Each structure stands twice: as structure tokens, then as C-alpha cells.
Amino acid sequence: MTGDEFLPLVQTTLRAPRLAAAQIIEWQLSRDVLWTALGLVAVLNTFVVVLLVQMAQPDMPLPSYFNSPLVLYVLLAGTMVVYVHAIYWAGLAIGGQGSLGDVLALVVWLQVLRAVAQIGVLVLTVIVPSLALILSLAIAVWGLWILLNFITAALSLPTIGHAAAVLIIGAVGLVLGLGIMLSLIGLAAQGVLSNV
């Protein structure tokens, strides 16, 4: 994708998310490309979170994994993988149709936009902190609206209400999936530490 194609797609995503979703789905990107893109977006999001942590107040209590970019990357990438599958299977469960690749492509694109928006919020935080908070809330609401439209388009759902149901079911699946993933990571870490 060139710069000439990037900005128009961003504008379409913000104004008419379902039209943008149709354009992205038409690309029919291979799974290898999509999973690689998800990994790269996780790197970008990790970078943004590390910057946020560096800008945070030193006495602010944060979980220990925020000090380890590699662990943070694994958590962010794992969350995205689990969430893509949760959305896809929840959509199929309520009668949606579509492919995992379509959901993956749209989630990756949305994550790219969120990372760019977060960088903008970081810059604004340095200049006008109160305005950055308002922008952050606006991005969260608009991002949710785009995600609902993306889910509707990717899974050929009849209404946004169906997409909201998929999002709720997917969130439950995400929590369960992350619980399993974190317990496996914890067990693996304990096994490694006990052998040392």
C-alpha cells in the first residue's frame, strides 16, 4: 500500500467503515501476510505502550510486565490472536458468514489506525494534556463504532446489533482464552525456573 492509497482508506474508514471493510476484504491477502502484519502491529503497539509507560509518573503502580517489552509484546500479540478467533467463532455461532482471514484483515487494519492515533495522543499529551484525554475518549468511541461496522461487514451480519452481540460473546471468549494462555505461560515459566 502506497501513501496515496493509505490516506484515502483512512478517510473512508472514518466516514464509511463498511465501505472500507469491503475494500480491504477485496484485497484477499494471504494468511501469511495477515499474520505477519498482526505481528508487526503488535510490535508497533508494544512500542507505543512502552512510550506511555516511560511518560507515566514514576510512582504510578504498574504490573511488572510493563517493564519487559518482550513479555508485553507476547501479551499484546496473544490478545489479538485470541480476539480475532473469538470474534470469528462468535460470529459463526450467531449465524454469520465469512472467513477468518476477513476478520483478521480488518482487525489488523483497525490496530494500525489505533497505533497511529495513540502516537498522536502521545504527542498531544506533551503539548496539551487535557485535550489529549478528550481525544483519547473520542478515539475509543469512534474505534468501537468502526469495529462494530467491520464485524458486520466481515461476517455478513444483518445489523450492528448482531455485531454488538458478537463483540460481547467475543469478549467472554477473550477473557477465557487469555486465562488459558496466561496459565500456560505461567506453567511454562515455572517449569523453566524450576530447572535452573
Side-chain angles (χ1 to χ4, degrees):
M1 174 185 292
T2 64
D4 292 339
E5 296 170 332
F6 181 80
L7 287 178
L9 186 56
V10 170
Q11 291 174 346
T12 305
T13 302
L14 295 175
R15 294 177 185 165
R18 287 193 208 184
L19 182 58
Q23 290 175 9
I24 294 166
I25 289 169
E26 281 177 11
W27 293 345
Q28 290 298 301
L29 298 170
S30 71
R31 291 249 174 120
D32 292 341
V33 169
L34 292 172
W35 288 116
T36 302
L38 185 136
L40 292 173
V41 167
V43 168
L44 182 59
N45 279 314
T46 301
F47 176 72
V48 170
V49 171
V50 168
L51 280 178
L52 279 169
V53 169
Q54 295 300 321
M55 292 175 65
Q57 298 172 355
D59 59 343
M60 184 180 219
L62 292 170
S64 60
Y65 56 80
F66 277 98
N67 296 322
S68 175
L70 183 58
V71 173
L72 191 56
Y73 168 79
V74 170
L75 285 173
L76 289 173
T79 299
M80 283 191 267
V81 169
V82 171
Y83 199 50
V84 165
H85 281 89
I87 288 172
Y88 174 67
W89 291 108
L92 293 186
I94 67 165
Q97 299 174 348
S99 74
L100 180 66
D102 294 345
V103 174
L104 178 58
L106 296 176
V107 167
V108 166
W109 174 246
L110 186 58
Q111 289 301 318
V112 168
L113 294 182
R114 281 189 174 159
V116 170
Q118 285 174 340
I119 291 170
V121 169
L122 275 175
V123 171
L124 201 56
T125 300
V126 175
I127 303 167
V128 187
S130 57
L131 190 58
L133 179 61
I134 294 169
L135 180 62
S136 183
L137 291 172
I139 288 169
V141 171
W142 207 304
L144 178 61
W145 172 251
I146 293 170
L147 179 60
L148 288 171
N149 279 282
F150 275 11
I151 292 170
T152 304
L155 297 170
S156 302
L157 297 171
T159 66
I160 290 263
H162 287 81
V166 167
L167 208 55
I168 292 167
I169 296 167
V172 172
L174 176 65
V175 170
L176 293 174
L178 283 178
I180 293 168
M181 183 179 78
L182 291 174
S183 66
L184 290 174
I185 290 171
L187 290 174
Q190 287 175 3
V192 169
L193 292 175
S194 65
N195 291 332
V196 175

